[in-house]
Amino acid sequence: MPVFGVLFYFFLNENYFIPAQKYLLLIQVSIILILIPIAIFYLLRTLGKADSVMLSDVSQRKIPLAAQAILIGLLIMQSIRVDIVPELFFFFSGGFISTVIAFILALANTKASLHQMGISTLTFFVIGLSLHNHKNAIAIIAVLFLINGLIATSRLYMNAHSGKELGMGFLAGMLPQIALWYFWL
């Protein structure tokens, strides 16, 4: 979702970045929020702390969520700062808050759908971008809501989550994004 957020930012935002800057930003986000978490997962799997990518056991979610929060924090402190790319700063800040919420829920032995959290975060960021830039992105937003429904349906069909867990994931992704709209819309 982080890479999709950056891509939507470049697509829906009037920005003055040269192509090399866009590629650099995409590479930074990909390395920090995709490749490093994959390496951490394989380390945890080797150590016996994770049995599958789905992390179905709540106790297995704590370390990956803490690592993800740290990585997002590093990204927004070092690369995606409010003075350079404010919209992305608030997108990733909302993602950081969502990750912390999921971590706190995991500490309380409560599982929220991370898939649902990710897609709802992206959906409400795109809504914010559309409002911020006064661009009609209704088709993209409609497709994102459809994807929200498809993800929820697939998670229920696979018996990976209950409706309550999907609702918590959706709210954990949505509420931080909406709360941060106040600062950049």
Side-chain angles (χ1 to χ4, degrees):
M1 292 304 140
V3 171
F4 287 123
V6 173
L7 290 172
F8 278 117
Y9 169 74
F10 289 138
F11 181 70
L12 293 174
N13 197 24
E14 298 292 329
N15 56 62
Y16 304 100
F17 296 106
I18 61 172
Q21 291 172 315
K22 292 178 181 181
Y23 295 133
L24 181 62
L25 190 59
L26 280 169
I27 290 169
Q28 286 176 350
V29 170
S30 297
I31 290 171
I32 294 172
L33 297 180
I34 296 175
L35 296 180
I36 293 175
I38 289 171
I40 290 171
F41 167 73
Y42 282 112
L43 175 66
L44 292 173
R45 191 167 179 178
T46 301
L47 296 173
K49 301 287 184 186
D51 57 4
S52 76
V53 175
M54 295 300 174
L55 299 173
S56 55
D57 185 14
V58 178
S59 64
Q60 295 178 3
R61 292 173 167 232
K62 295 172 187 171
I63 295 172
L65 285 170
Q68 187 75 0
I70 291 167
L71 291 171
I72 294 171
L74 288 171
L75 187 67
I76 60 179
M77 287 189 310
Q78 299 299 320
S79 295
I80 301 179
R81 298 189 325 258
V82 72
D83 58 329
I84 299 172
V85 279
E87 298 90 348
L88 284 179
F89 173 82
F90 290 112
F91 168 63
F92 284 106
S93 295
F96 174 79
I97 295 167
S98 296
T99 303
V100 170
I101 290 170
F103 177 72
I104 291 169
L105 289 171
L107 289 177
N109 286 327
T110 303
K111 188 168 82 167
S113 173
L114 301 178
H115 289 89
Q116 199 66 47
M117 184 178 78
I119 192 64
S120 67
T121 297
L122 181 63
T123 301
F124 285 91
F125 173 64
V126 170
I127 292 170
L129 271 179
S130 175
L131 294 171
H132 179 68
N133 295 316
H134 306 288
K135 290 206 175 185
N136 183 0
I138 196 73
I140 296 170
I141 294 166
V143 168
L144 286 170
F145 273 112
L146 176 66
I147 293 170
N148 270 276
L150 291 172
I151 287 173
T153 302
S154 72
R155 304 307 289 158
L156 287 171
Y157 180 77
M158 294 170 49
N159 291 321
H161 290 289
S162 66
K164 179 181 173 184
E165 293 167 346
L166 289 167
M168 285 189 298
F170 184 83
L171 290 174
M174 175 189 73
L175 293 176
Q177 291 297 320
I178 290 176
L180 290 173
W181 283 353
Y182 174 78
F183 299 103
W184 65 282
L185 287 186

